[in-house]
Amino acid sequence: MGTAALIAAGALATVAGQYGRMFQRRRGRGAQGLVDQAPAAALDTASVAFEGYAATPRSETVLLNLLTGFLGSFAFIRPSTFGIRSGWWPRGNTVVGGRHIHHFVPGILIAFASGTAAMLTSNNKVEDKLAFPMGVGMGLTFDEAALLLDFRDVYWTRQGVLSVQVSFALMATLTSAILTIRLLRRGEAEAEAHGVIPPAQPHLAPEA
């Protein structure tokens, strides 16, 4: 649960930070009331993300998609497994033929399928999108790394909780945040150049 909370907090902080920058732009113009500025700043934030993604080099978008899938699977699977164990999650464990199917199994299948599909296509846009399910598969697999290493179910033991998943999650969170901030700053410059968002005040000019 701590890992999922870290991921969610990182994502919220990044979005909130960008929203704050856009709100300051609107507030600096003074042409709108507070009630109008808030939703306008939200639309500006979405425009910046769209423009930034479109202007980002392919190598960075692929890595960002991969990390987003990786972190998203962590953020989902940790609360769900905790909920199953506590009895409040709507669905229980997946059981086939009386055998509990751990989530590293679909994780491996998703990662293998995505990687194979990426090798079979020559469309760069399709390959970019396949990075997301690849990241999901990697996240589901690494979440049970301790089980794979010890060959026994230590998911909720000390070994499982403090396994390599924490290191991977932290590394991915920091890298994803850096890439996202780079994307958003690039998006600000593109959106401002296209007249989609108001010009920046001198102290809010996008960094080079």
Side-chain angles (χ1 to χ4, degrees):
M1 289 293 289
T3 304
L6 174 65
I7 293 169
L12 287 173
T14 302
V15 173
Q18 186 61 39
Y19 176 81
R21 289 174 64 88
M22 295 298 95
F23 187 81
Q24 284 297 110
R25 283 181 182 241
R26 291 283 174 179
R27 187 178 181 185
R29 286 167 62 96
Q32 296 174 306
L34 183 62
V35 174
D36 295 324
Q37 289 172 358
L43 290 175
D44 289 346
T45 302
S47 298
V48 164
F50 178 80
E51 294 281 351
Y53 189 89
T56 296
R58 181 170 178 266
S59 58
E60 289 188 22
T61 58
V62 169
L63 183 56
L64 179 62
N65 289 347
L66 188 72
L67 289 170
T68 300
F70 184 91
L71 293 171
S73 64
F74 258 109
F76 171 77
I77 204 63
R78 275 278 140 180
S80 67
T81 50
F82 179 80
I84 291 171
R85 188 166 181 257
S86 302
W88 53 263
W89 192 255
R91 293 190 60 183
N93 290 318
T94 301
V95 179
V96 177
R99 182 182 295 274
H100 174 205
I101 305 300
H102 289 273
H103 50 263
F104 74 80
V105 176
I108 291 173
L109 293 177
I110 292 171
F112 282 4
S114 302
T116 301
M119 289 188 292
L120 292 176
T121 182
S122 58
N123 189 315
N124 287 345
K125 290 184 178 179
V126 173
E127 290 179 359
D128 291 357
K129 291 180 174 61
L130 286 170
F132 181 79
M134 170 72 82
V136 170
M138 292 171 60
L140 293 175
T141 303
F142 277 113
D143 185 62
E144 293 196 307
L147 186 155
L148 293 171
L149 291 172
D150 290 351
F151 295 104
R152 54 195 178 91
D153 195 350
V154 294
Y155 192 81
W156 292 108
T157 65
R158 181 178 178 82
Q159 302 99 298
V161 175
L162 298 179
S163 68
V164 293
Q165 62 190 351
V166 176
S167 298
F168 275 104
L170 180 60
M171 177 185 67
T173 299
L174 293 175
T175 306
S176 181
I178 292 169
L179 287 173
T180 301
I181 290 171
R182 281 170 57 87
L183 181 152
L184 292 172
R185 295 297 175 270
R186 189 179 291 114
E188 280 189 38
E190 291 290 325
E192 184 175 326
H194 296 158
V196 177
I197 63 174
Q201 301 300 310
H203 67 285
L204 289 176
E207 301 168 1

